[in-house]
Amino acid sequence: YAATSTKALADTSKAFTVGAWVYPTSAGPTQTYPILAQEGSNEQVFYLMNGLNSWAFCMSNADTPSWAGDCVTTTFTVAPNEWVFVAATWDPINKQMRLFTSMDGEAGTPVVGTHASSWTANGPLLIGRDRIGTAVRTWRGQIASPMVFPGVLTSDQINNMGQQLPPGEW
């Protein structure tokens, strides 16, 4: 895994967009594998992950030792050993979380969910790792081109993010 310096890359109390190309080598109905997470003192403010065999974007309610929050998930099963582009946005004005996935970089229609609260996480951006309390989870596979942007990117902008193809696909 990797982590940025202790300074957060985006103000998570405001709108942001995250994404990456991922190549999972493990997937299953009982495991979660983190792609990106923004760390607070006790908890991550968001998780972008392969969660219980679907793609998921989750946001926690508060920086407390026990997780409570909301998730949006895809309805299709994660296939190991295939590159997938995964991106998510947090829109605090509309209280919406959006999750985009694509095999070809065209993000298409997102899965949309609601989330009521946001808070500022000042810790590092974690790539391929997260933690809930003392439990540490790690990604199984490859992560390419992780991206973090302030603001809610449009579908066209997210499609442009996805056009940065993963290794071996150029």
Side-chain angles (χ1 to χ4, degrees):
Y1 79 92
T4 62
S5 67
T6 56
K7 183 174 168 52
L9 296 182
D11 181 347
T12 54
S13 70
K14 298 178 181 170
F16 65 88
T17 301
V18 295
W21 275 97
V22 296
Y23 185 90
T25 55
S26 296
T30 61
Q31 298 294 320
T32 58
Y33 301 102
I35 301 165
L36 299 172
Q38 182 68 55
E39 193 163 55
S41 299
N42 297 295
E43 179 60 68
Q44 277 70 222
V45 69
F46 76 81
Y47 302 86
L48 183 61
M49 65 185 161
N50 165 351
L52 305 178
N53 211 24
S54 65
W55 299 108
F57 177 55
C58 300
M59 292 190 68
S60 64
N61 294 334
D63 193 10
T64 58
S66 58
W67 191 88
D70 301 296
C71 295
V72 290
T73 60
T74 60
T75 57
F76 60 88
T77 302
V78 172
N81 305 314
E82 292 182 357
W83 282 104
V84 177
F85 178 69
V86 183
T89 63
W90 164 237
D91 177 354
I93 293 170
N94 296 305
K95 304 216 179 290
Q96 283 189 337
M97 301 164 35
R98 297 180 194 104
L99 174 63
F100 300 83
T101 55
S102 173
M103 303 274 302
D104 62 5
E106 295 292 326
T109 305
V111 179
V112 179
T114 60
H115 182 68
S117 63
S118 61
W119 51 278
T120 301
N122 292 318
L125 176 75
L126 304 176
I127 302 168
R129 187 194 85 147
D130 69 6
R131 72 177 162 82
I132 294 179
T134 59
V136 174
R137 303 176 298 186
T138 56
W139 176 257
R140 304 285 189 263
Q142 298 177 53
I143 299 173
S145 304
M147 298 169 240
V148 177
F149 296 95
V152 175
L153 271 61
T154 66
S155 292
D156 285 343
Q157 290 170 317
I158 289 173
N159 284 335
N160 287 338
M161 287 171 55
Q163 296 305 310
Q164 297 181 22
L165 297 175
E169 301 294 322
W170 288 278

